[in-house]
Amino acid sequence: MNDASTAPTLVVGLGCQRGCTAATLRALLDQALQAHRIELRAVKALASIDLKRDEPGLLELARQLELPLQYFSSAELAAYQPRLSHHSQIAYERTGCYGVAESAALALAERLIQGPAKLLIARQKYAQATLALAGAA
């Protein structure tokens, strides 16, 4: 059994449309983790863009999971553009970055690890939300 200090730091980046529910986000999270055989308890934090700071679904999901939720500015997220698996023109027009989920996951993973991170689950799209998971490279 991995003790917490050796367990990898995994973080989930989330992007969503206004009004996206916690249930929708949770369904996407459960589906992605199950598909990649990752346990929910391995996830240490959630990340998104600061434009979503007051998004009820994101806040509710973080509360339900008892996980910290960190936000990044579009300028901080834009730095990750070369590493994204998908560039969304719509996301760029709305947020100033080409992919919220992947870049937020990478940004938070690197902040927590204090080293390089990589995408372990590339962008997954579901209903009104996107999700990505990052951890140590």
Side-chain angles (χ1 to χ4, degrees), residues 5-66:
S5 63
T6 61
T9 298
L10 301 179
V11 300
V12 169
L14 293 162
C16 65
Q17 293 172 13
R18 286 267 165 231
C20 181
T21 65
T24 297
L25 293 167
R26 180 63 191 264
L28 175 57
L29 176 62
D30 289 345
Q31 186 183 318
L33 293 177
Q34 200 168 15
H36 291 83
R37 295 189 172 85
I38 295 169
E39 289 187 43
L40 180 59
R41 64 191 178 127
V43 175
K44 302 299 181 219
L46 306 175
S48 192
I49 192 166
D50 59 6
L51 298 171
K52 299 295 179 187
R53 196 177 293 280
D54 59 352
E55 191 60 44
L58 277 175
L59 295 167
E60 179 58 29
L61 181 69
R63 248 193 319 276
Q64 286 175 10
L65 299 176
E66 298 179 355

Side-chain angles (χ1 to χ4, degrees), residues 123-136:
R123 176 181 180 270
Q124 308 282 304
K125 184 153 177 38
Y126 176 98
Q128 310 165 291
T130 55
L131 171 147
L133 184 127

Side-chain angles (χ1 to χ4, degrees), residues 90-115:
I90 293 170
Y92 183 78
E93 287 164 14
R94 291 184 181 159
T95 68
C97 71
Y98 284 100
V100 171
E102 288 186 345
S103 35
L106 287 165
L108 183 54
E110 292 192 344
R111 178 182 285 177
L112 295 177
I113 296 162
Q114 298 184 345

